[in-house]
Amino acid sequence: MIRYLLMILSLFAAVAACDSGGRTPVVATNVVITAPAPGMPVAAGYLEISNHSGTAIRITRVSSPDYESVEMHETVVEEDVARMRAIPLLEIEDGGTVVFERGGKHLMLMRPIGTPDTVTLNFYSDEILLLSVSAEFTTAVD
Ligand SMILES: [Cu+2]
């Protein structure tokens, strides 16, 4: 059995281009960052992103001050073989939610900078910061 302990230190959303009246335009929930396996320079991130901005948003880039590189990936099964594919651009319609989860879309965090125990993820639409999320690593226990 695998048990995941999650502690979200802080969770906040930056202001998107067309915020009106104090409603949070882009919201992240269920943020999970899995601790990397020993000796592996890669961690995975899962979360749900909901768009309440009043217009479609396009996530074009994800970055982190704690990792040299963050990519959006999707696991697809082709001829019974699971493969990962990079997602160059992710559009979320107004009112829509995109789910990053095990076996589906996920974030790959590559090459840690130092030894982070809290990870911040920044989601951009070109140069506009849509969402910033910070979470501790989960601890996976077999
Ligand atoms: Cu991947």
Side-chain angles (χ1 to χ4, degrees), residues 40-111:
M40 293 291 287
V42 176
Y46 307 99
L47 77 168
E48 295 175 24
I49 301 174
S50 296
N51 174 19
H52 307 292
S53 69
T55 186
I57 59 172
R58 293 150 66 94
I59 298 169
T60 56
R61 181 164 65 90
V62 186
S63 69
S64 171
D66 309 299
Y67 279 81
E68 286 181 19
S69 174
V70 180
E71 291 183 3
M72 295 186 285
H73 281 184
E74 186 157 34
T75 300
V76 292
V77 177
E78 291 170 341
E79 296 171 0
D80 296 333
V81 180
R83 299 173 197 279
M84 291 195 296
R85 221 183 248 165
I87 304 171
L89 180 151
L90 185 63
E91 183 160 316
I92 311 176
E93 65 189 21
D94 181 40
T97 297
V98 163
V99 180
F100 289 78
E101 61 188 347
R102 256 160 245 283
K105 293 183 180 65
H106 57 276
L107 298 168
M108 300 291 294
L109 288 58
M110 289 167 280
R111 298 186 299 280

